[in-house]
Amino acid sequence: MNHYLIYCDDLQEGIWFKNLNSHFSNANLEVIPSSRKALAAIGLDKVLKYDRPDIVLLDNDQIILVLERTVEVPSGHNVGQRYGRLLAAAEERIPVVYFGPYAAYKHGGNTAGPRYMNLRLFYSLSNVSNTYNTAITTINWPVDRNYEVLKTPAKDVRIKEYLDLFFTYYDSYGFSGLTEYIKNSPFQLRQIQEQENFALTEVRSPEQYDVPPESVELLTVSTFKRRYNIAYNFPSNIQKIVLYHVGMTYIRSDPYTGMAALYKHLYGDSNTYQILEFANISSNLWYQQRQTSKTYRMYKEFSDAILFNDALILQQNL
């Protein structure tokens, strides 16, 4: 017998999700706890190890789905703010859904106007999906002709279709094989085709996303060592450095930790070191922060080393 429990980051989001499918009519609804000790006690610590997703669905105490939804304008570094929430679920091979607009209108000031998805999010999530052989489904939040996000029930049509697909398999076969079923479904293929069509028809110069952004350089080991006068001898298998220039002037997480995770899965492999350059941060300042903080944990997780303004420090020494 099914006993569904919906954990939500915000109660309104939980109510929205509960009303999407009849399977949830008797589901309990709870807000995700704040402390890591409480998360571990209820088995949410692994899927929340980087950040808090909007929805975590359990059945009989087993996590079966993670969902993140946002109406945020999806341009530039904004996509990185939610990347860790998707990645943690994917690493645990939990089906995960990203529901947000591929294009949306940004209001205010001289920068008002439509903003478009940073296509590197699609490319990086595709790599993660293949690495962990799991289903990561992006669903485009619909907008009107003026790129204003829809707030009517019509926005939820495809989320409901996804849940119907989900339960078609789950009701008959349970969790085993579910993520493969979704990954190889016609529904998933249509979402990927929409990504591709969006890139071709909506994004100006989509080829710009085929190369790293200005904040990221792909360097040979010798070039990196020569530029920064580094004496460290890298392991013999390391052939490339992914150097992410993090422009912050004080230590903070968003959006840089999420982008570090995104770039690591987009440009990295077993023959690569990802190094974060903190040109405005000293190593002494780094060691003053709490090692239990999300900021500390994520920077350490998604770097092989950090280049501070006074030292290169390898991951194991961070």
Side-chain angles (χ1 to χ4, degrees):
M1 186 174 184
N2 301 111
H3 292 93
Y4 295 112
L5 172 59
I6 301 168
Y7 278 105
C8 55
D9 189 41
D10 177 86
L11 194 57
Q12 286 300 115
E13 291 169 340
I15 294 171
W16 163 79
F17 183 77
K18 183 175 180 178
N19 290 329
L20 290 176
N21 192 278
S22 60
H23 282 76
F24 308 141
S25 58
N26 295 316
N28 292 325
L29 189 61
E30 296 186 21
V31 175
I32 298 171
S34 298
S35 77
R36 295 199 63 79
K37 183 177 180 180
L39 292 175
I42 58 177
L44 297 186
D45 50 323
K46 290 184 178 180
V47 295
L48 274 80
K49 66 179 177 180
Y50 303 135
D51 208 346
R52 295 165 63 93
D54 291 318
I55 299 292
V56 181
L57 176 64
L58 284 72
D59 180 23
N60 292 311
D61 297 324
Q62 179 183 12
I63 300 170
I64 60 173
L65 177 66
V66 169
L67 181 143
E68 178 69 17
R69 77 166 196 165
T70 178
V71 295
E72 185 178 73
V73 177
S75 60
H77 277 68
N78 287 342
V79 295
Q81 294 179 354
R82 288 170 169 79
Y83 189 87
R85 307 171 194 182
L86 310 176
L87 177 61
E91 289 177 346
E92 297 302 314
R93 302 197 72 243
I94 306 295
V96 58
V97 174
Y98 174 90
F99 179 40
Y102 293 176
Y105 196 89
K106 179 182 179 182
H107 293 271
N110 297 327
T111 62
R115 293 293 182 271
Y116 301 90
M117 174 67 79
N118 181 336
L119 299 182
R120 295 184 187 93
L121 175 68
F122 294 152
Y123 304 155
S124 186
L125 289 179
S126 177
N127 286 350
V128 171
S129 176
N130 291 330
T131 296
Y132 295 102
N133 189 27
T134 192
I136 304 175
T137 306
T138 65
I139 297 177
N140 188 10
W141 188 311
V143 297
D144 64 19
R145 66 178 63 185
N146 297 314
Y147 291 96
E148 299 288 355
V149 294
L150 297 186
K151 299 294 181 67
T152 65
K155 75 181 188 303
D156 298 327
V157 168
R158 267 192 280 178
I159 287 286
K160 291 180 177 180
E161 185 181 351
Y162 174 91
L163 289 172
D164 287 342
L165 171 76
F166 183 99
F167 285 112
T168 294
Y169 184 95
Y170 187 76
D171 289 346
S172 297
Y173 306 105
F175 188 77
S176 179
L178 175 62
T179 190
E180 292 90 346
Y181 173 77
I182 295 172
K183 183 179 180 182
N184 296 305
S185 68
F187 179 90
Q188 182 82 348
L189 178 60
R190 290 197 300 273
Q191 309 319 302
I192 294 172
Q193 289 172 337
E194 181 172 12
Q195 292 178 11
E196 295 170 349
N197 183 64
F198 168 78
L200 291 173
T201 61
E202 293 278 356
V203 178
R204 183 181 302 172
S205 303
E207 63 275 5
Q208 67 181 291
Y209 295 101
D210 295 336
V211 297
E214 291 183 358
S215 59
V216 175
E217 293 183 87
L218 306 183
L219 305 174
T220 64
V221 172
S222 59
T223 298
F224 173 77
K225 292 180 67 174
R226 185 167 56 251
R227 179 191 295 181
Y228 294 101
N229 194 27
I230 301 297
Y232 173 71
N233 290 320
F234 289 86
S236 59
N237 66 299
I238 300 303
Q239 303 296 315
K240 181 177 69 177
I241 302 295
V242 178
L243 182 63
Y244 176 26
H245 302 279
V246 179
M248 63 186 178
T249 56
Y250 62 95
I251 297 175
R252 62 189 181 97
S253 57
D254 287 337
Y256 303 111
T257 52
M259 295 309 294
L262 187 153
Y263 294 144
K264 190 170 183 66
H265 288 279
L266 181 56
Y267 301 120
D269 56 34
S270 60
N271 298 314
T272 299
Y273 260 24
Q274 175 156 292
I275 298 178
L276 311 182
E277 184 190 20
F278 290 3
N280 302 307
I281 307 293
S282 68
S283 57
N284 181 59
L285 187 61
W286 170 263
Y287 288 119
Q288 292 177 20
Q289 65 179 320
R290 289 185 299 109
Q291 294 190 4
T292 56
S293 71
K294 182 188 82 169
T295 302
Y296 172 87
R297 288 185 290 104
M298 288 190 68
Y299 277 128
K300 184 172 181 177
E301 178 75 22
F302 299 116
S303 66
D304 295 291
I306 296 179
L307 180 63
F308 298 96
N309 61 14
D310 58 352
L312 174 72
I313 299 181
L314 300 178
Q315 183 191 55
Q316 61 265 32
N317 298 321
L318 288 171

